[in-house]
Amino acid sequence: MRQRVNMLRRSLCLICVFASLSVAHGQFGGGMGGGGGNAPAPPGVEKPKFRDHMFQQGSMRVQRETGDQLVASVAVKGNRSVGLNRIMAKVQTREGRVYDFNLVMEDVRRLHKFGAFEHIQPEIVEKPEGVHVTFVVQERPIVQAIEFAGNRGINDRELKGRAGIAPGDPLNQFSIESARSRLVDYYHEEGFNQATIETVIGKTGYPNAVIYRINEGPLERIGSIEIVGNTFVSSARLEKIIKSREAFLGIFNFGNRAKMDILQQDLEKLTSYYRDLGFFEAEVGKMMRYDETGKYLNLRFVVKEGPRYYVRNVELIGNQFVDTASLKERLRLKPGDAFDRGKLQADVTEIRYGLGSVGFIFADVQPRPTVLDEPGQLDLVYRIAEGDQYKCGEIRIHVDGDDHLVAEHVVENRLEFAPGEMLDRKKLDRSERLLKSTQIFITNPAEGAVPRIVVEQPKLVDLEAAADEY
C-alpha cells in the first residue's frame, strides 16, 4: 500500500486525516521466469546463520585452553512419559561444548519451568575425556484420561472444552478442582442451577484417570416475571430493560432459561436505570419460587424507588476565557429540573463544544453531582480545565490503497475547517462523520482503518534553553 501526503500550510496545530479506500485490489503476478513457460525462477537457497549451523551440527569442536573442560556427554535418567527429545529441547548444555556449571543450573531451572517434573537433580562426573552431565528427573503424575458420567443436557465435547485440562497434563489437585468449578459454573450459566459435580481419581487400569460424576438436575426455565413496587416507571417499560424472559404465551419455552448470572445483571440494570433518573436511594431485589415440578421459576422483582432528586443549583468552575453565561445557555439540565443522567452527559458534550468552538478543543469537563442534606435536593458542579487554545495549522491527508483513484478535493470538501482558522471541536466531529458517510472509504474496522481525524498538538519549545544554546 502507498501513502499519499498532502502538505498544505504550517500554523499552530497539525491535523491528520486517515482513510482507507473501500475498493477491491487485484493481485498481479509477473516477473521474467527462467525455464519452461512463464514460471518464475526458483528462489535461491538461503544459508543458515553461522551460529544456527553450528548448533545444528552439535556445537563447535574447539581446542580447549589450559584448565578448561569439555562436555563429554549429556544424558537424562528417570523419564518415562516425557520423551528425550522434548527434554533436550529445553537443555542448552551440549556434548563438545565448553563445560559451564552456571549453564547446567540454568538448564535445571528451564526444566522446572517446563512443569513435567517434580524433582530434577544434575549429576556431574569429571573424567579425563571431559565432564559427563546427567539430569536425573522425577516425573509428575500425569492425567491419563478425562471422563464424564451422568451428563445428558450437555455433551462430552462441550464439557472437555470448558474443563481446561486434558490427558497428558500434570495431575494435581488444584487443576482438577479448578476444572470442576468451571464445569459447575458452566452448568449454572446454561440454566442447570441445581447441578452438582463430584470428582473421582482413577479407575480399573487407569489409576490417574480423572472422572467427573455429574448430577445435572432439571433445566430450569422462567415461567413468569412480575415487577412490583414501581410507581414512576411502568412494568412494561422495566421488562424491556431486563434480559430475562418468561415463557412465551405462558406455555412455549423460547429463550426463557433461568440463568443466575443474567438475573444478577438484571438487578443491576434496574437499579442503574432508576438512579440515572435521579432515584439515588432506589433498591431492587428479587424473589424466586419454583412450581410443583421444580422446573419452572416464577420470578418477582421488588422495587423500592425512594425519593427523586432535583437540581437546586448549577455551577461551572475553572473556565477563565469562556463566559459562564454562554456555556449555561447550552445546558438542558437546569435548576428545578429532576436529575437525569442522560441529560447530564449531553450537557457535558455541549460544554465541550462550547469551549471547543473558540479553540479549546482539548478542554476537560468533569460533572460532580453533590447530594445535599435536604432530602431530594442536589447541586450540580461542572469542573472545567480549558487547556490551551488552538488554530488549524498544517493538514495532512493519508489515504491507504490506490490513492490515485481519489482526488484530494474529495477529502478536503468534507472538512469544515481550513488552515489559519480557529479550531472547532464540533466541526472536527462533524467532518469525521461526513468522511465515514462517504461510500468511497472503508467503514468496517475489520476490513481496514476507518476514516478518522487526529489532531496533534505542537511540540513545546523551551525558549530559555534555546536562548542559552544560541
Side-chain angles (χ1 to χ4, degrees), residues 19-22 399 406 410-411 435-436 438-443 451:
S20 299
L21 289 177
S22 180
V399 179
V406 180
V410 173
V411 176
L435 288 173
K436 291 180 179 178
T438 304
Q439 297 182 359
I440 299 174
F441 303 115
I442 290 174
T443 56

Side-chain angles (χ1 to χ4, degrees), residues 110-307:
R110 275 187 287 270
L111 291 175
H112 272 297
K113 191 176 180 180
F114 181 42
F117 306 113
E118 189 120 18
H119 182 70
I120 303 166
Q121 178 65 42
E123 290 184 353
I124 300 171
V125 179
E126 297 184 8
K127 293 186 176 181
E129 66 274 14
V131 180
H132 296 267
V133 180
T134 303
F135 295 96
V136 181
V137 299
Q138 180 182 348
E139 291 185 351
R140 296 179 185 274
I142 62 173
V143 177
Q144 293 177 302
I146 301 290
E147 295 184 6
F148 304 96
N151 56 307
R152 299 179 305 277
I154 303 178
N155 59 43
D156 287 5
R157 182 178 179 181
E158 289 290 334
L159 294 178
K160 287 180 180 179
R162 294 283 177 166
I165 61 174
D169 291 345
L171 181 70
N172 61 73
Q173 192 61 35
F174 176 77
S175 61
I176 293 173
E177 179 59 25
S178 296
R180 190 196 69 83
S181 298
R182 285 191 292 270
L183 293 173
V184 172
D185 291 342
Y186 180 53
Y187 264 102
H188 291 176
E189 290 173 4
E190 293 301 311
F192 296 90
N193 299 307
Q194 302 178 34
T196 59
I197 300 178
E198 179 185 6
T199 306
V200 177
I201 306 297
K203 68 174 187 177
T204 303
Y206 295 90
N208 290 337
V210 180
I211 303 168
Y212 291 102
R213 293 180 177 174
I214 303 171
N215 181 8
E216 292 181 336
L219 172 58
E220 298 178 354
R221 298 183 181 273
I222 299 176
S224 64
I225 297 177
E226 182 184 10
I227 301 178
V228 299
N230 53 306
T231 58
F232 182 78
V233 185
S234 67
S235 297
R237 175 71 185 96
L238 295 177
E239 287 179 3
K240 292 181 179 179
I241 297 173
I242 62 178
K243 194 173 181 180
S244 298
R245 293 290 179 264
E246 62 186 4
F248 183 64
L249 299 179
I251 54 176
F252 297 108
N253 294 324
F254 182 74
N256 63 328
R257 289 191 179 189
K259 301 181 180 182
M260 293 299 131
D261 57 333
I262 300 298
L263 292 178
Q264 183 60 35
Q265 293 175 20
D266 289 340
L267 285 177
E268 296 172 359
K269 287 180 180 179
L270 292 173
T271 303
S272 297
Y273 179 76
Y274 267 98
R275 292 183 180 177
D276 288 346
L277 293 176
F279 294 89
F280 295 122
E281 299 176 17
E283 297 179 358
V284 182
K286 70 176 185 296
M287 299 175 61
M288 298 183 297
R289 180 173 55 85
Y290 292 94
D291 68 355
E292 59 277 4
T293 67
K295 296 181 179 180
Y296 286 91
L297 190 67
N298 297 318
L299 180 63
R300 173 181 291 182
F301 290 100
V302 181
V303 179
K304 181 182 177 182
E305 294 178 339

Side-chain angles (χ1 to χ4, degrees), residues 60 62 64 68-71 94 96-100 103:
M60 182 188 301
V62 298
R64 58 190 178 91
D68 289 343
Q69 291 178 297
L70 296 180
V71 177
R94 288 285 188 273
R97 292 182 178 176
V98 176
Y99 169 72
D100 186 346
L103 184 60

